[in-house]
Amino acid sequence: MSKLRSDISVSLDGCVAGPNQSEESPLGEGGEGLHDWVVQLAVWRESHGQEGGEVNVSTRIVEEARENIGAAVMGRNMFGPPGGGPWGDDPWTGWWGDEPPYHYPVFVLTHHLRDPLEMEGGTTFHFVTDGIESALEGAKDAAGGKDVMLWGGARAINQYLAAGLLDEFELHLVPIVLGDGARLFDDLGDADVHLEQLRAVEAPGVTHVKYRVVR
């Protein structure tokens, strides 16, 4: 059965991006440090068209996160640019160049209509204006029985968690404190969230903690 999973780096104070996100600083002030552990890995560098890199305990964690994914969902801010608003005459096409690293359909949560955007390498961005349930339904249909990855950001993850739609998530806990920014587990309302820890793996510069959402 297809699951909705999430996989995201987070600071010790619960932020997945720092304050003052912008087109010039998409991860906010200090936010790039959340990903130091992964950008050094050969498996990450290869997927972004780069050479070299390390192999360590985190390698298998990253490989596993990418297995059995048939489609994804992400929030408007993660697709970018920060700030939202109408798409305009020359609409944004993402942070990732002509060939994003997904290679499957990605459903973007937005309040503004837009036609699907087909990119090189098999990624097509679909823009969903009628809510998180609709985006998940479309992603599951497109995934063809495989899992759906919820890539972020914090607001999207919080919405799916509060709605009881998220099945599993893995936090990559990085030993930095951002002080402010896009924070996980805020604005959950009266959601009664129960988690079961599935594993905790210590690695250079990060601790990987995986949870199942108990219903």
Side-chain angles (χ1 to χ4, degrees):
M1 182 176 178
S2 177
K3 294 184 291 187
L4 178 63
R5 300 193 270 129
S6 190
D7 182 275
I8 198 162
S9 294
V10 59
S11 67
L12 291 180
D13 53 343
C15 295
V16 303
N20 302 317
Q21 290 175 266
S22 66
E23 187 171 339
E24 294 73 27
S25 181
L27 295 173
E29 297 171 10
E32 289 189 3
L34 292 170
H35 303 281
D36 286 348
W37 68 272
V38 71
V39 299
Q40 301 172 16
L41 297 178
V43 64
W44 185 92
R45 295 178 67 84
E46 181 181 0
S47 69
H48 289 76
Q50 302 175 25
E51 298 181 353
E54 302 177 1
V55 175
N56 61 35
V57 176
S58 293
T59 297
R60 181 56 192 151
I61 300 292
V62 173
E63 290 173 339
E64 182 182 293
R66 297 176 179 177
E67 292 174 352
N68 197 43
I69 300 298
V73 175
M74 66 174 59
R76 165 69 187 270
N77 258 17
M78 181 167 178
F79 178 78
W87 294 106
D89 296 329
D90 186 22
W92 180 264
T93 58
W95 304 102
W96 308 279
D98 293 333
E99 186 173 348
Y102 301 108
H103 312 297
Y104 44 65
V106 178
F107 292 76
V108 180
L109 302 167
T110 178
H111 296 294
H112 301 279
L113 291 171
R114 182 173 174 181
D115 291 334
L117 175 63
E118 187 173 349
M119 307 293 285
E120 296 177 11
T123 301
T124 299
F125 293 104
H126 301 269
F127 300 91
V128 182
T129 59
D130 52 351
I132 63 172
E133 292 88 354
S134 177
L136 179 58
E137 181 180 356
K140 285 194 171 184
D141 287 345
K146 293 184 177 181
D147 291 343
V148 174
M149 179 61 78
L150 175 59
W151 282 117
R155 183 180 179 188
I157 294 172
N158 292 342
Q159 287 178 318
Y160 278 99
L161 185 60
L165 297 172
L166 187 60
D167 297 300
E168 290 182 0
F169 61 91
E170 187 145 28
L171 301 182
H172 309 294
L173 189 62
V174 180
I176 62 175
V177 175
L178 293 176
D180 196 8
R183 198 179 302 273
L184 284 181
F185 311 129
D186 273 0
D187 302 320
L188 295 181
D190 59 357
D192 188 18
V193 178
H194 298 274
L195 306 176
E196 176 189 357
Q197 182 175 307
L198 300 179
R199 70 178 178 202
V201 179
E202 184 179 355
V206 64
T207 300
H208 310 283
V209 188
K210 187 174 184 178
Y211 297 96
R212 180 174 68 88
V213 182
V214 180
R215 298 189 177 89

